[in-house]
Amino acid sequence: MDVIITNQPEKVAADIIETFVRDNATLGLATGSTPLPTYRELIRRHEEKNLSFAQCQAFLLDEYIGLPITHEQSYYRTIRREFTSRIDIPDAKVHSPNGMALDSVAAGHDYDAAIKAAGGVDIQILGVGTDGHIAFNEPGSAFASRTRPTSLHPQTVKDNSRFFEGDEAKVPRRVLTQGLATIMEARHLVLIATGSGKKEAVAALVDGPVDTACPASVLQRHPHATVIVDEAAAALLSKK
Ligand code: GLP
């Protein structure tokens, strides 16, 4: 695991992602607020440096169950609003788990099959939850887990309520998420964490034991994982 401490995480992340985009890679996209500056930097490079995503495809990590894709906070809509509608990737090539499927277990299997059929994810962008979750794999998620329906931890409901007018009651409890084993199959993992709210999670995932109590710690087992953090998120790391 490579750990990069920088005051420009979005630039470091965009530099890595750009090399994959120029190779027409399959991109793994994350939602949440952390990757937004990176997406803005990539949009800038698209507009100013002719960085083209036309030959790429993209797979999202997760989706809320029961939110229609027309809902502003569905990840289907979020990724289009914040990123993919502002670059030249064809919309049909932006895939996400079907949170409205009648059978969400089957929808999970279908999603894993779609990733496989696309040749796998080349570069996966990740954020991390304050409780160490990646995608929506909450503490206790099996390292062997695949795309599946699961439930949110109360802390995540609280953290994500800011996207739902601050009202925890409006946050869906059920989600469809890529599993940890699915994520680990991506060829390069890039996890970005910024701000002091993430310092405990970053210390646990980098320095702690590989343990399902901190799902992100599984990255220690990946052959090519890069963790990009700012000073605030790095504050509790043992080696700085
Ligand atoms: C959500 C997403 C995760 C994301 C996490 C952190 O729960 N499912 O993919 O990494 O939140 O979000 P943020 O970057 O807004 O702190």
Side-chain angles (χ1 to χ4, degrees), residues 29-36 61-64 75 125-131 133-138 152 156-157 159-160 162-163 175 177 191-194 198:
L29 302 180
T31 45
S33 42
T34 308
L36 294 180
L61 282 171
D62 46 12
E63 183 58 280
Y64 291 109
Y75 286 167
I125 303 162
L126 294 166
V128 62
T130 54
D131 62 1
H133 74 251
I134 51 175
F136 272 137
N137 294 281
E138 295 284 22
L152 293 185
T156 305
V157 172
D159 288 348
N160 287 6
R162 68 189 191 281
F163 297 114
V175 291
T177 182
L191 184 146
I192 311 167
T194 52
K198 298 292 171 69

Side-chain angles (χ1 to χ4, degrees), residues 144-176:
S145 57
R146 315 238 19 129
T147 306
R148 68 199 186 290
T150 185
S151 299
L152 293 185
H153 190 282
Q155 181 62 46
T156 305
V157 172
K158 198 170 168 204
D159 288 348
N160 287 6
S161 65
R162 68 189 191 281
F163 297 114
F164 294 85
E165 297 145 32
D167 185 353
E168 288 182 34
K170 291 191 174 144
V171 183
R173 274 23 185 197
R174 296 284 290 164
V175 291
L176 191 53

